[in-house]
Amino acid sequence: MKFIIDLIEDIREQIGNQEAYTITAGLLKEDPTDSNKLIYSGEAILNTYQIDEIKKQLIFEIDSSDSTIAVGELIPPLLISDMDKMMFELRIDVNVQYNDMEVIGFGKNEEEKRYILFIKI
């Protein structure tokens, strides 16, 4: 389980808060031959995000629009959040079948300027 504070810290450490990076979802699937291993199965651009104060979550969504989320758009409002909000969980709604997916890790693709939130199905 990852939280807003983890995201802020990792973006600062991994990419130095470079505003041009696009936020994406990376899909990991369990290896059928070894359940302890995960296989990278692709990536999708995240289109929107919202903070759910009731569930205490930052929810990213894939809605197949052309919009993208850049680090420069996401991080500044999060940095001024209070400590309670910093502990909100990170979740991703991929589609109807895979909604409310837990973010399990982070990564980056320097060549394509993408910051990746990993989920497992």
Side-chain angles (χ1 to χ4, degrees):
M1 180 180 312
K2 297 293 181 182
F3 302 94
I4 289 176
I5 196 160
D6 299 324
L7 175 69
I8 291 169
E9 185 175 312
D10 195 72
I11 285 177
R12 182 175 32 85
E13 290 175 2
Q14 295 297 320
I15 62 171
N17 289 337
Q18 292 183 49
E19 295 182 358
Y21 272 67
T22 303
I23 310 292
T24 64
L27 178 62
L28 300 173
K29 291 184 180 179
E30 201 172 276
D31 186 333
T33 60
D34 183 353
S35 63
N36 293 325
K37 292 183 180 179
L38 296 173
I39 300 171
Y40 177 74
S41 300
E43 180 174 320
I45 293 176
L46 295 169
N47 306 110
T48 61
Y49 69 96
Q50 64 179 333
I51 293 179
D52 186 325
E53 300 279 347
I54 296 168
K55 292 182 179 179
K56 297 187 182 218
Q57 296 176 338
L58 171 57
I59 304 165
F60 295 93
E61 297 169 341
I62 298 172
D63 65 9
S64 66
S65 70
D66 290 337
S67 63
T68 61
I69 304 168
V71 167
E73 169 193 346
L74 176 67
I75 295 302
L78 295 179
L79 286 174
I80 60 172
S81 300
D82 61 27
M83 198 56 193
D84 288 340
K85 197 171 281 183
M86 291 283 185
M87 296 309 296
F88 282 16
E89 291 178 61
L90 302 177
R91 309 298 270 191
I92 298 177
D93 287 344
V94 178
N95 56 30
V96 175
Q97 183 180 3
Y98 297 109
N99 63 5
D100 199 29
M101 303 295 295
E102 177 182 339
V103 173
I104 61 168
F106 307 117
K108 65 181 176 179
N109 179 329
E110 290 180 352
E111 291 176 5
E112 296 185 25
K113 300 278 189 219
R114 292 186 177 173
Y115 184 79
I116 306 164
L117 307 178
F118 286 107
I119 57 174
K120 176 186 160 194
I121 61 166

